[in-house]
Amino acid sequence: MRVLITGAAGFLGSHLCDRFIAEGHTVVGMDNLITGSMDNIAHLYGHDQFSFIKHNVSQYIYVPGPLDAVLHFASPASPNDYLEHPIPTLKVGSLGTHNTLGLAKQKGARFLLASTSEVYGDPKVNPQPESYWGHVNPIGPRGVYDEAKRFAEAITMAYHRYHGLETRIVRIFNTYGPRMRLNDGRAVPNFIYQALTNQPITVYGRGQQTRAYQYYSDLIEGIYRLLLSEEPMPVNIGNPDMEMSVMELAEMMVRLANSDSEIVCIEPTDDRIVDDPQVRRPDITRARTILGWEPRVSVEEGLTQTINYFRQRI
C-alpha cells in the first residue's frame, strides 16, 4: 500500500511510519510540526519507502499520486498542548478531519481516524465500552480537545454512511513510550524526568484519579489490525489490566528509576485539571473479538524501556 500518515513527526505518528515501512508499504508523512519533531523521523530520511510533506492539514491538502489509506493522527494530544493551542486543536479535529476525509474519498482510499478515550469525558461508567456516549463539558477548557475528537468521529461516520467511504475509528487510551516529549505535560514523561533528575514528583490533586496505561507497541499493533479489518465502528485500544491511580504510577516510577525523588501533591492554578477524568479504563471486548488483539507488554516492562530511553536524553 501507499499510505498518508498525518501527524507523522509526532510520538505515535512516527512509530506508525516505522510499522508500515517495516510491513513493506510506502509512507507519505505529513506534519506542520506544531508539536511534532523532525528528530522522530530523522532515521527515515533517504529511505526509498518514505517521503515527508510539511503542511497544516487544516488547510487544503494536495498529495500527488495514488493512496490506499489515509491515517489521520494530526492533533495536539496533551493538556499542555491543547490548552496552549486551543484554536488549532479545534481546527485539526474539524477542518483537518474534513480535509483528510475528502482526500481519502478523492483517492478511493481507506480512512482511519485517531480518536481518543477523551470522547468519554469524565465517565460515569467504568470500564468504558464503545457504546457509552460519554460525559463531556463542551465549554470547559478540555472541551477544545474532547469535542474536536467527538466531531471528528461524527463526520467520519457521516462520510461512511453518506459517501460509502471505508472508515475506521480507533479510540486510543493512555499510551506511553519512546519519542514522547519530556515537556509533554502528561504524567509518564513528567514523572520520568522528575525521577531521573531527583526532583520532587508532582502529583496533581490527591493523585487518586486512575488511568489505564499501555505501551506504544501494543497500540500500534491494534491500529494496524484495525486498518486491515472490516470494522467501521469505533474500537477501544487500551490495557484494561493496567488501571492504576496517578499516585501509584508515581510510586512505581520512583522504584523503577531507582530515584531519590519525593512525591508531593500540588494544586495547579491553571486549567490543567479542570474536568480531569477521575477514572479511565477501556472495555476491549470488541478489540479482542473483532481484531484478535490483546495488550502484551506489562506496565513495568514498558516503563523500564521508556525510562531507559529518556535516561539517554537527559
Side-chain angles (χ1 to χ4, degrees), residues 77-298:
S78 78
N80 278 13
D81 290 336
Y82 56 71
L83 292 174
E84 183 179 354
H85 305 288
I87 305 303
T89 300
L90 285 162
K91 283 186 173 181
V92 76
S94 53
L95 300 175
T97 306
H98 187 204
N99 289 339
T100 48
L101 281 163
L103 180 67
K105 178 174 176 287
Q106 174 196 347
K107 301 288 189 179
R110 183 169 291 190
F111 180 85
L112 187 145
L113 172 69
S115 188
T116 171
S117 60
E118 294 296 327
V119 300
Y120 300 121
D122 186 8
K124 301 301 183 184
V125 172
N126 196 41
Q128 296 86 54
E130 292 87 349
S131 58
Y132 178 57
W133 290 356
H135 177 238
V136 177
N137 177 4
I139 60 171
R142 300 176 73 101
V144 298
Y145 183 64
D146 301 355
E147 296 294 2
K149 290 297 189 179
R150 286 162 69 94
F151 175 85
E153 288 196 11
I155 193 172
T156 296
M157 291 308 301
Y159 264 73
H160 171 70
R161 293 180 177 120
Y162 186 78
H163 292 299
L165 188 68
E166 285 196 62
T167 58
R168 309 289 180 262
I169 299 174
V170 56
R171 288 181 179 163
I172 299 170
F173 281 69
N174 294 71
T175 307
Y176 67 92
R179 300 184 193 163
M180 294 187 88
R181 296 172 8 244
L182 275 174
N183 62 345
D184 180 277
R186 285 176 280 196
V188 170
N190 273 8
F191 291 174
I192 290 178
Y193 177 74
Q194 291 166 341
L196 291 179
T197 55
N198 291 313
Q199 298 180 38
I201 293 182
T202 51
V203 172
Y204 299 152
R206 294 183 297 110
Q208 297 308 301
Q209 61 271 42
T210 69
R211 299 292 183 269
Y213 298 95
Q214 68 178 332
Y215 195 53
Y216 82 94
S217 59
D218 283 334
L219 172 64
I220 298 300
E221 176 66 24
I223 291 168
Y224 191 79
R225 292 190 187 197
L226 178 59
L227 179 70
L228 299 183
S229 77
E230 300 303 318
E231 180 54 53
M233 302 301 289
V235 176
N236 290 337
I237 298 292
N239 193 335
D241 298 327
M242 295 302 163
E243 184 183 25
M244 65 178 68
S245 71
V246 174
M247 182 62 74
E248 288 173 323
L249 176 67
E251 293 167 348
M252 180 178 290
M253 202 70 74
V254 171
R255 175 170 57 84
L256 294 177
N258 194 25
S259 173
D260 295 325
S261 296
E262 63 173 334
I263 300 171
V264 297
C265 295
I266 64 171
E267 292 290 343
T269 56
D270 57 22
D271 291 330
R272 271 177 287 180
I273 63 170
V274 175
D275 300 324
D276 191 30
Q278 295 306 296
V279 294
R280 178 73 82 238
R281 182 182 176 211
D283 182 326
I284 60 168
T285 302
R286 301 191 74 239
R288 287 178 169 135
T289 303
I290 295 167
L291 307 179
W293 176 86
E294 291 272 359
R296 302 295 182 191
V297 181
S298 72

Side-chain angles (χ1 to χ4, degrees), residues 62-79:
Y62 172 73
V63 176
L67 289 173
D68 300 291
V70 174
L71 291 87
H72 183 32
F73 277 73
S75 178
S78 78

